[in-house]
Amino acid sequence: MTHRRRRRHTAGRTAALCGALLATLLVRPDGAATAAEAPAGPAPEAVLHLVTLQPDADQDDVLASLDLPDPVYRWHTALNGFAVRLDAAGAAELDALPDVVSVEADEVRAMTSAPALPPSGRFGDGPATGGSGVVIGLVDSGLEPDSPLFAQRSSARRPADFDGDCAVAGDWVAAECNGKVVAARWYVDGFGTDRLRAASTLSPRDSDGHGTQMASVAAGNPGVPVEVGGERLGEFGGMAPDASLAVYKACWSAPDPADDGCSTADVVTAVDDATRDGVDVLSLAVGGTGVLDTVERALLGATEAGVVVVAAAGNDGAGATAHASPWVTTVGGTTGEARRGRVLLPGVGAVGGAMLARTTVGPARVVRAVDVAAPGARRSEARYCTPGSLDAARVGGAVVVCDRGRVGRVDKSRAVALADGVAMVLLNRRAGSVDADVHSVPTVHLPVRHAGTLLRWLRTHPAGRVTLTSGGVVERRVRVAEFSASGAGSGVLKPDVVAPGTGVLTAVPGGEGWTFTTGTSVATAHTAGVAATLLGDGLRPAVVRSALVTSARPVPGTPVLRSGAGLVQPDRARRPGLAYLVPPQAYRSWLDGRRTDLNTPTLVLADGDRAARRTITNVTGRRLYFSSSARGFRRDVSVRPAAVRLGPGESVTFRVRVSGPGRSRLDDGVVVWRGASGTVTRLPVVITR
């Protein structure tokens, strides 16, 4: 792959469309046009296409051979290609050239957060140090840098081999790149400025919030106080607090949220720039199709350049996994812990729900919102605590009981706070999630059954007083979230791992500055931060890709096809023992069709295969004895050799063999290698035949 430096592309440059079609009207001698000679219809519309060329092809020669317009983008590092506007005929003609690998139409893909899903109240609880000297590149919606989470840390090493730019535009000045943030750029020519929401800014600054959320989880500084409504709820930190951030804004907000997303042309350009700049980890929380398209080819180029690429599996549940390529560490999402609270009802006892605040409120007067409507407001509005619907004269100093619906949950508590209420009890009147949100006043969110108990108590205690108390954090059994996509794509197990993906506390621009985020996006940011800490500890990229998978903890009762290797374990990943190393050039061979030789840290046996080989390498620095076992299979699975003794850096190839008839078409389990020093290295295996 050529590494020629190219002109840097930001926003605002659009390709000139050349060669307008001229319709010629042939006229009969009597001046009437024949039907066969009628004027041609409108020219076919030219749309943006992503064109991938052979590594040694010359872009200018290809463009000149068909007299194509100037490209919107050119790519020279992660892959050789360009984005150009073509009609259908032009795309077909270009695709037929021998130097062309693929031609595909640009599309807008969604970011992989699921804000409508129930959060569980998990706080960011990253380490105090980690990731020093490492650059995490985030291809997302930008960054809001005005937070102590993104201030420069004197204890962190500056990255040595990074050469990224800090674009200056409008609301983003050069000082925003402060050492913590080492590069910032934006890409909009694929998405189109005419499709942007009015509040969007043509700069690296985040006007959506998603990019800031991901940056906070991946590399937010440690020990930042979380304060909401004047109450300190704890401290926050990212997974690699000493890492630097490089921001590549390729995702945008539209007037209709359904149209939000990331143009694939913008994403590929961001990946190309990040690779050339020299990022160490690339975090991509953008959906995908599960096929090996231009985005996946660009991510391959990044991997070949030594980048650890971490991407989201997607939120389609049973749908196809995004980023199914073996050179990407693909991440699914799990459920997490819950924050509980109680409402104490004198004479009845306590009813429980979700509560973020730690403050005890009361005993205090309690009122139903429907009974304290503001002058001029309808009771139906007050019932749901819509903004401006509550009478401050009757709400002041009281706990307000609001029904769920009509407006956002946090909008209700803001309305209570503006009316001088001291707390809120939020009622589910039908089945639904119970959520510990970032509220403006202490709030307990009750499920239907407890909502009914409270309402019955209120009818017999119209002047009653209640107390709200925190129940603290309740650990729930980890399981793969229903929305998390999974499956063996292209013969490769996906996702590779899972990480916390429901209700994770994240930073957002403006307002209280905090929210809870759900989706495989936040699980990806978590894993990208872990990868940065491993690189900061001195592990090589190939070892990091292996260690993230082989050190993961299995999710109890969950098939490997849903959870991959299991839950990411940062501390265990620091001591991988053995590694499944894949030379970067081997991925290219796999892409070209030789797919059985790839030494990935996962294994899929399909299409009648009864055996496969893998190679393990001792990365401990000591000569050690390692023994193997096969666990969890319904079939007979053996490993040969069953035990090995390896010196530092030495490798051995072993064979996994399946024998005997299976009781079902699908089977899974894990091959475990235990080292004499206590290391445990797992290889998840799926048998699909």
Side-chain angles (χ1 to χ4, degrees):
M1 181 67 64
T2 179
H3 288 269
R4 293 174 290 170
R5 295 185 66 85
R6 66 173 177 80
R7 177 181 177 182
R8 297 172 186 251
H9 292 270
T10 57
R13 194 175 74 83
T14 54
L17 298 178
C18 306
L21 297 177
L22 301 178
T24 302
L25 178 63
L26 299 179
V27 183
R28 293 191 323 215
D30 61 2
T34 66
E37 298 160 345
E45 181 182 2
V47 298
L48 194 62
H49 283 75
L50 287 68
V51 181
T52 302
L53 304 180
Q54 297 289 351
D56 56 353
D58 186 277
Q59 294 183 17
D60 290 331
D61 288 349
V62 172
L63 290 163
S65 67
L66 296 179
D67 194 23
L68 297 176
D70 289 341
V72 175
Y73 293 120
R74 288 180 185 255
W75 311 308
H76 290 293
T77 308
L79 78 170
N80 184 23
F82 49 80
V84 65
R85 300 194 187 279
L86 302 165
D87 59 24
E93 190 176 9
L94 182 60
D95 197 25
L97 296 180
D99 283 337
V100 174
V101 175
S102 67
V103 178
E104 65 184 53
D106 180 59
E107 63 179 14
V108 174
R109 296 181 180 174
M111 294 173 279
T112 49
S113 279
L117 296 176
S120 62
R122 185 181 189 280
F123 266 56
D125 52 0
T129 61
S132 186
V134 176
V135 179
I136 301 175
L138 290 117
V139 178
D140 215 294
S141 66
L143 179 72
E144 173 53 70
D146 303 330
S147 165
L149 287 166
F150 308 120
Q152 184 176 6
R153 298 191 75 197
S154 59
S155 60
R157 299 193 314 272
R158 293 187 64 86
D161 300 317
F162 183 78
D163 186 27
D165 284 346
C166 187
V168 176
D171 58 357
W172 188 281
V173 298
E176 308 288 10
C177 292
N178 56 8
K180 177 71 172 184
V181 181
V182 293
R185 210 168 306 156
W186 80 99
Y187 312 84
V188 73
D189 289 344
F191 190 86
T193 55
D194 58 330
R195 299 180 57 192
L196 296 180
R197 190 177 64 185
S200 299
T201 60
L202 293 178
S203 78
R205 191 171 293 274
D206 185 10
S207 54
D208 175 89
H210 190 272
T212 303
Q213 295 169 42
M214 300 308 113
S216 66
V217 171
N221 291 333
V224 175
V226 179
E227 294 187 1
V228 178
E231 179 187 2
R232 182 162 176 167
L233 301 176
E235 294 184 342
F236 182 94
M239 298 307 297
D242 291 325
S244 299
L245 289 165
V247 178
Y248 302 91
K249 181 178 177 179
C251 301
W252 301 87
S253 297
D256 182 348
D259 297 328
D260 292 355
C262 325
S263 153
T264 50
D266 294 337
V267 168
V268 169
T269 310
V271 172
D272 195 61
D273 275 351
T275 305
R276 187 208 54 234
D277 291 346
V279 303
D280 301 294
V281 179
L282 189 63
S283 181
L284 185 67
V286 178
T289 61
V291 300
L292 301 176
D293 55 15
T294 309
V295 172
E296 297 307 300
R297 289 178 179 274
L299 297 178
L300 170 57
T303 299
E304 290 175 327
V307 180
V308 176
V309 179
V310 184
N315 300 333
D316 293 335
T321 308
H323 310 294
S325 51
W327 47 86
V328 174
T329 300
T330 308
V331 186
T334 66
T335 59
E337 55 197 31
R339 293 183 175 265
R340 312 300 296 172
R342 296 176 296 171
V343 182
L344 304 182
L345 307 176
V348 173
V351 290
M355 182 181 188
L356 176 62
R358 300 177 180 180
T359 301
T360 296
V361 178
R365 180 171 57 93
V366 59
V367 295
R368 286 195 63 186
V370 70
D371 298 327
V372 290
R378 293 192 293 270
R379 284 170 55 87
S380 59
E381 294 173 334
R383 173 187 172 186
Y384 295 102
C385 295
T386 60
S389 66
L390 302 177
D391 185 355
R394 292 186 285 173
V395 168
V399 175
V400 183
V401 178
C402 306
D403 282 4
R404 184 176 185 174
R406 295 247 181 130
V407 297
R409 298 185 297 269
V410 296
D411 296 327
K412 298 173 187 293
S413 64
R414 190 174 302 116
V416 171
L418 290 174
D420 296 328
V422 296
M424 179 176 77
V425 179
L426 180 59
L427 305 183
N428 276 6
R429 303 306 298 274
R430 57 178 63 88
S433 62
V434 176
D435 310 312
D437 295 308
V438 181
H439 284 291
S440 299
V441 294
T443 296
V444 176
H445 186 176
L446 297 179
V448 173
R449 65 183 186 280
H450 292 331
T453 300
L454 174 62
L455 291 175
R456 287 190 295 273
W457 181 86
L458 283 172
R459 283 195 292 270
T460 57
H461 299 77
R465 301 171 72 85
V466 300
T467 301
L468 275 61
T469 64
S470 171
V473 177
V474 177
E475 293 288 343
R476 299 191 298 197
R477 183 173 67 87
V478 173
R479 59 181 177 82
V480 177
E482 291 183 1
F483 60 78
S484 183
S486 60
S490 302
V492 178
L493 177 63
K494 292 293 173 176
D496 295 275
V497 291
V498 291
T502 56
V504 179
L505 186 71
T506 60
V508 290
E512 293 283 1
W514 305 97
T515 191
F516 288 105
T517 303
T518 289
T520 54
S521 287
V522 72
T524 298
H526 177 103
T527 306
V530 175
T533 64
L534 300 179
L535 291 171
D537 288 346
L539 273 63
R540 291 176 292 143
V543 177
V544 170
R545 282 188 284 271
S546 174
L548 288 170
V549 176
T550 61
S551 64
R553 175 165 58 89
V555 179
T558 305
V560 170
L561 273 175
R562 284 287 290 144
S563 64
L567 188 66
V568 171
Q569 300 289 291
D571 291 337
R572 289 184 177 273
R574 287 190 165 97
R575 299 177 62 246
L578 298 169
Y580 295 85
L581 303 181
V582 181
Q585 64 272 16
Y587 292 121
R588 184 74 57 177
S589 296
W590 183 91
L591 181 63
D592 292 339
R594 298 182 293 278
R595 299 188 174 187
T596 59
D597 301 325
L598 207 56
N599 193 46
T600 57
T602 63
L603 176 60
V604 176
L605 287 168
D607 301 326
D609 292 337
R610 300 188 67 84
R613 289 182 173 87
R614 285 292 186 269
T615 300
I616 46 177
T617 301
N618 180 359
V619 293
T620 67
R622 298 170 54 192
R623 184 172 184 81
L624 291 172
Y625 175 82
F626 298 89
S627 60
S628 69
S629 60
R631 301 179 178 178
F633 299 97
R634 293 182 294 274
R635 291 177 171 88
D636 293 329
V637 176
S638 61
V639 181
R640 294 290 182 272
V644 297
R645 188 178 297 276
L646 297 174
E650 289 184 346
S651 303
V652 68
T653 297
F654 67 92
R655 178 186 289 262
V656 178
R657 179 176 291 278
V658 180
S659 60
R663 287 174 289 182
S664 66
R665 289 183 54 83
L666 183 65
D667 195 5
D668 63 14
V670 60
V671 171
V672 180
W673 286 92
R674 290 187 175 273
S677 62
T679 61
V680 178
T681 306
R682 295 183 174 90
L683 174 75
V685 180
V686 173
I687 305 168
T688 64
R689 54 184 169 79

